Amino acid sequence: MAQLHDSGLTGHQVSHTEHHDHPDMEEMRTFGFWIYLMTDVIIFGTLFAVYIVLQGNTNGGPGPKDLFQMGGIIASTFILLTSSYTSGLAVLAMHKGNKKALLGWLGATVVLGATFIIMEINEFTHLVHEGATIGTSAFLSAFFTLVGTHGLHVLLGLVWMIALMMQIAKRGITPVTKRKVNVISLFWHFLDVVWIFVFTIVYLMGVS
Amino acid sequence: MQHDMSTSHAHENHGSLKSYTIGFVFSILLTIIPIAVVMNGWLAGKASAIILMITAVLQLVLQLIFFMHLREEKKPRYNLLTLILGLIILLVIVIGSMWIMMYNMVAL
């Protein structure tokens, strides 16, 4: 660990070390979060593998072509993509020290993310009303587990982002809140990337 | 990265408005292409699947570079190393499952 810490400083020289340990601890925490993201990659990888293997097993029930309504899915894809961009703009505003813009862009990200979740809930209730529940077939079990896990991540991210906005409003832009914004924007970009693969493998390949 | 020396915590690699916007525009494009291919039925079967996977993977790379700033990481590149490890495990799980479950079927 010490090695990682030290080598992390090369290039920035001593002016850094005079400072208290703060910035480097925050850097370590961001890296810790990155490792968590990599474990999440494995979770989603497993769920994707299950979905790909089981997608043909519809048990005589409805398949992807019968169920998916692409209009809403395409709209929610662009919404999530845009929210990934706004969370990036939040990070930029933060580095400029603009607290108002930071809160504004985080707020925009929350609104877009909430829209995405509401559309997903609508889609799921529509499916259930059509008689396509998680117990209908192996295909639908795998579908709801994969898409639902992604949705839960987004929902958790929303709660987290709102809490972080409250903290920033209270404490301002400090090294700690800075790291937290960096970490949540990483999380948000990650969820966007996962959705791209859900969209491609589950929806586009499902209806093509 | 020279200018970083002057500021107190110099580690942030946060890109610029330009890099974010480039990333955003290209990811929109890379989303429209597969949608157009599928919705208009331009390609079928394998060709369509290949185009879809290529655009998705390109978009992953794009987001890693323009949004997550993976290229601006300073050495040693632990972020990149752990990412590669994660991707290897991912590919083993996904391709391994597909291989065993779909192409090695013994009985139905």
Side-chain angles (χ1 to χ4, degrees), chain A residues 24-94:
Chain A
D24 304 294
M25 263 327 281
E26 299 306 342
E27 208 171 329
M28 289 287 283
R29 287 179 180 129
T30 309
F31 179 60
F33 187 78
W34 181 262
I35 291 178
Y36 153 72
L37 282 186
M38 295 309 114
T39 64
D40 237 13
V41 166
I42 298 170
I43 290 184
F44 280 109
T46 314
L47 294 177
F48 269 112
V50 170
Y51 179 81
I52 292 167
V53 167
L54 294 178
Q55 70 190 132
N57 302 22
T58 53
N59 193 25
K65 272 178 198 162
D66 313 310
L67 290 174
F68 298 156
Q69 295 176 317
M70 291 307 283
I73 303 296
I74 290 170
S76 63
T77 300
F78 283 110
I79 287 170
L80 202 64
L81 206 63
T82 311
S83 81
S84 193
Y85 180 56
T86 55
S87 80
L89 293 181
V91 172
L92 278 183
M94 175 184 75

Side-chain angles (χ1 to χ4, degrees), chain A residues 5-21:
Chain A
H5 185 99
D6 286 337
S7 48
L9 287 174
T10 51
H12 298 306
Q13 305 307 329
V14 263
S15 70
H16 224 111
T17 29
E18 294 166 6
H19 266 66
H20 34 276
D21 262 348

